[in-house]
Every structure is written in C-alpha cells, then in structure tokens.
Amino acid sequence: MRPETLVGDHTIYACVMGSRAFGLATEASDTDRRGVFLAPTRLFWRFEKPPTHVEGPAEEQFSWELERFCELALRANPSILECLHSPLVEYADATGRELLSLRGAFLSRRARETFTRYAHGRRRKLEADVRSHGAPRWKDAMHLLRLLTSARDLLRTGALTIDVGEERELLPAVKRGEVPWREVESRMTRLAEEGAEAARHSPLPEDPDRRRVEDFLIRTRRASALRTDPSDEVVRGHRSGVPERAQFQ
C-alpha cells in the first residue's frame, strides 16, 4: 500500500496547524496540515512494515501513523500535543474523535522537560545567529516566545491553549524585528523562570495515562484486524480455490 493511499484512505484525524491555528496568520501565510492515519493491521504482519509517518501528498501536509503519534504524545512532544489541541479540525472519524477525547490522558508534568529542552535548543540557535549576524531569525524568535508562553500556561492551568490570545500584537512585532533583541531575550528568560515555578505547583499528573492510551490503541488495532479486505488472498480458509487442509500438505 502506497504512503499516499494510507493518508488518502485511512486518515482518522486531520487539522490545520502553524500560524493559522496560532492566530498569527497573514495573507501570505501557508496552510500547514497535519494528520493521523491508521495503517490496516494486516500490513504489520508483513516483513516490510507500514511507515511511521508520511510527508504529503499535498504541499505543507504531514501525517503520523496512529501508534507513532500516540508514542510521541506520551513523551509530551510539543508539536504532537499542539496538533491534538488545534482549534482548526478539518476531519475526524469515530476513531479520530476517540483520540481527541484522550487529549487529557497525554498531558503530564513531563511537558516541562520536553518543552524546555526544545526551547533551549532553539534559543542556542538564536544566540548563535546574534553572534554571527548581529540579529536572530526573528520568525524563530517569535515562535520560541509563543512556545514558552504555551508551556508556562499549560503547567499553570493543566490546559494546552494554541491561540496566542493577548500576545497577538507583540509576537508579529517580534517577527518584524521591531522589538530589540535584549527585550526579547529578557522575556524568554522570564517565561522560562515562570514555567519552572508553575511546574512545582502544576495540576498536571506526574506521568501521562499510558494504560488508557494503550487500551485505545489495542482496541483500534483489533477492530482493524477483524475487517475483511476484498484484496486479501485468503478468505474463509481458501486460497485460489484450494481448501485450507490442502494448503499445508
């Protein structure tokens, strides 16, 4: 089964991410689409397993296989968690809606570590740009501020909010280079400190509800395995008209 077929025929959840989901879109903004597909269980019985992710087939489109998506979400991967909380859902079948109902099961204080590690990496790159070129990549600086704010508020409230809300005027100004780097840097430091303080009193559990997510995955795989596919060669114990008993003689 071709990757584009997995996305086209087996997507269970699709949403828009990026600036449009964050409330930062302009007329020139791309439409970043993200999704989750459920590879038919029978594909895992082969030596060559289905892909864990697929880029495309449309421009700015990226999808994950359900198991990989859940695995990353349990690790509190920032991009995956944000995908689950996009306000711009384009499609969700019954399985996709159940996945969305599990959003809370993926959230935990682990977000403090993963969001912080991701933020540190981005900040080091920005600081390297300042040393080399006298200024950072302002768009990256804007998104780092957004990420740090999102992480702080998640740890404070236990809820992940995607829309930037009150930051809708400041962040585009940062992107345009209208805010001095020292001010941006100071704000990054303050947000990181506030996130650390929020983690100490967070309403989030220490760990995600792995058992609940795994139960969902197993049930979904089992249901897929029980579906009859017309392209299967083996149907009711016969292959090309040969009885099952004769097949193994």
Side-chain angles (χ1 to χ4, degrees), residues 35 37 42 58 63-64 102 130-131 135 220 229 239 244-245:
F37 63 90
R42 68 184 185 280
S63 301
W64 295 267
L102 290 171
V130 173
R131 290 192 297 269
T220 302
D229 190 287
R239 179 182 297 162
E244 181 177 10
R245 182 178 298 175

Coordinates of all heavy atoms in Angstrom, one line a residue, residues 35 37 42 58 63-64 102 130-131 135 220 229 239 244-245:
G35 N -2.0 15.4 10.3 CA -3.0 14.4 10.4 C -2.5 13.1 11.0 O -1.3 12.9 11.2
F37 N -3.1 8.8 10.5 CA -3.7 7.7 9.8 C -3.5 6.4 10.5 O -2.6 6.3 11.3 CB -3.1 7.6 8.4 CG -1.7 7.3 8.3 CD1 -1.2 5.9 8.3 CD2 -0.7 8.3 8.3 CE1 0.1 5.6 8.2 CE2 0.7 7.9 8.2 CZ 1.1 6.6 8.2
R42 N -3.4 -5.6 9.1 CA -2.8 -6.7 8.3 C -1.4 -6.3 7.7 O -0.6 -7.2 7.4 CB -3.7 -7.1 7.1 CG -3.9 -6.1 6.1 CD -5.0 -6.5 5.0 NE -5.1 -5.5 4.0 CZ -5.8 -4.4 4.1 NH1 -6.4 -4.1 5.2 NH2 -5.8 -3.6 3.0
A58 N -0.1 16.3 -0.4 CA -0.3 17.8 -0.7 C 0.9 18.6 -0.1 O 1.6 18.1 0.8 CB -1.6 18.3 -0.1
S63 N 1.7 13.6 8.1 CA 0.8 12.7 8.9 C 1.6 11.7 9.6 O 2.7 11.3 9.1 CB -0.2 12.0 8.0 OG -1.0 13.0 7.3
W64 N 1.1 11.2 10.7 CA 1.8 10.2 11.5 C 0.8 9.0 11.6 O -0.4 9.1 11.6 CB 2.0 10.6 12.9 CG 3.0 11.8 13.1 CD1 4.3 11.7 13.4 CD2 2.7 13.2 13.1 NE1 4.9 12.9 13.5 CE2 3.9 13.8 13.3 CE3 1.5 13.9 12.9 CZ2 4.0 15.2 13.4 CZ3 1.6 15.3 12.9 CH2 2.8 15.9 13.2
L102 N -9.1 11.6 24.3 CA -8.0 11.2 25.1 C -6.9 12.3 25.3 O -5.9 12.1 25.9 CB -7.3 10.0 24.5 CG -8.1 8.7 24.5 CD1 -7.3 7.7 23.6 CD2 -8.3 8.2 25.9
V130 N 22.8 35.7 16.5 CA 23.1 37.1 17.0 C 24.6 37.3 17.0 O 25.1 38.3 16.6 CB 22.5 37.3 18.4 CG1 23.0 38.6 19.0 CG2 21.0 37.3 18.4
R131 N 25.4 36.3 17.4 CA 26.8 36.4 17.5 C 27.4 36.5 16.0 O 28.3 37.2 15.8 CB 27.4 35.2 18.2 CG 27.2 35.2 19.7 CD 28.1 34.2 20.4 NE 27.8 32.9 20.0 CZ 26.9 32.0 20.5 NH1 26.2 32.5 21.6 NH2 26.7 30.8 20.1
A135 N 21.9 39.7 14.6 CA 20.4 39.6 14.8 C 20.0 38.2 14.7 O 20.6 37.4 14.0 CB 19.7 40.5 13.8
T220 N -8.3 -0.4 18.8 CA -8.3 0.0 17.4 C -7.6 -0.9 16.5 O -8.1 -1.2 15.4 CB -7.6 1.4 17.3 OG1 -8.3 2.3 18.2 CG2 -7.7 2.0 15.9
D229 N -10.9 -7.4 4.1 CA -10.5 -6.6 2.9 C -10.7 -7.4 1.6 O -10.2 -8.5 1.6 CB -9.0 -6.2 3.1 CG -8.6 -5.2 2.1 OD1 -8.5 -5.5 0.9 OD2 -8.4 -4.0 2.4
R239 N -7.5 -20.4 -0.6 CA -6.6 -19.6 -1.4 C -6.7 -20.1 -2.8 O -6.3 -21.2 -3.1 CB -5.2 -19.7 -0.9 CG -4.2 -18.8 -1.7 CD -2.8 -19.0 -1.2 NE -2.7 -18.5 0.2 CZ -1.7 -18.9 1.0 NH1 -0.7 -19.7 0.5 NH2 -1.6 -18.4 2.2
E244 N -8.4 -25.2 2.8 CA -7.3 -24.9 3.8 C -6.5 -26.2 4.1 O -5.3 -26.1 4.3 CB -8.0 -24.4 5.1 CG -7.0 -24.0 6.2 CD -7.8 -23.5 7.4 OE1 -9.0 -23.5 7.4 OE2 -7.1 -23.0 8.3
R245 N -7.1 -27.4 4.2 CA -6.4 -28.6 4.6 C -5.3 -28.9 3.6 O -4.2 -29.3 3.9 CB -7.3 -29.7 4.8 CG -6.6 -31.0 5.2 CD -7.7 -32.1 5.4 NE -8.6 -31.8 6.4 CZ -9.7 -32.5 6.7 NH1 -9.9 -33.6 6.0 NH2 -10.5 -32.2 7.7

